[in-house]
Amino acid sequence: MGRLFQRRRILRRDGNSCFYCGMIFLREAQMTLDHVVPICIRPKGASGGVVLACEPCNQAKGAMPPADVLALAGVPVPPGLGDLEPEQIHELFVATVRGRFEAGLRPRAE
């Protein structure tokens, strides 16, 4: 029950859309959850931010470090990014990356 509640809360928070490309989810089955700071590079015990992602974006991002995702989005990588807590990196992503990619983590054509 806890996971279902978490998914629905994130679904509402993220506006029923993929964090990376903005695709609107018509069914919950279309969405996946992505850790902004991948589990494999996150400090032990840190919670990290979770966002909604369509499967193509989630697969394309994989375990890509936050600095690489910021660079793909055309966002300057702040000095000391590696020293930020996962929650701070999540806030940075929300402010600068949200919706800036076509499916597959390619920068959106302006």
Side-chain angles (χ1 to χ4, degrees):
M1 185 67 167
R3 291 189 134 190
L4 180 60
F5 177 75
Q6 178 190 25
R7 286 175 69 94
R8 290 197 175 143
R9 184 178 54 78
I10 294 168
L11 185 70
R12 282 190 303 276
R13 181 200 69 194
D14 287 356
N16 205 39
S17 63
C18 175
F19 179 84
Y20 297 105
C21 71
M23 181 186 93
I24 301 294
F25 298 112
L26 301 176
R27 298 182 320 272
E28 280 187 47
Q30 293 175 303
M31 72 178 203
T32 64
L33 296 176
D34 178 60
H35 291 89
V36 171
V37 180
I39 293 170
C40 63
I41 62 172
R42 190 168 53 221
K44 197 169 190 91
S47 61
V50 177
V51 296
L52 291 180
C54 65
E55 190 158 340
C57 284
N58 199 344
Q59 292 296 316
K61 180 182 170 276
M64 191 181 297
D68 292 352
V69 177
L70 288 170
L72 270 178
V75 175
V77 178
L81 178 68
D83 296 331
L84 296 178
E85 295 295 320
E87 290 79 11
Q88 293 170 306
I89 294 172
H90 181 265
E91 290 172 15
L92 174 67
F93 268 52
V94 169
T96 59
V97 174
R98 183 166 176 77
R100 295 193 59 165
F101 299 95
E102 298 292 348
L105 285 177
R106 290 187 176 80
R108 188 180 291 263
E110 299 293 329

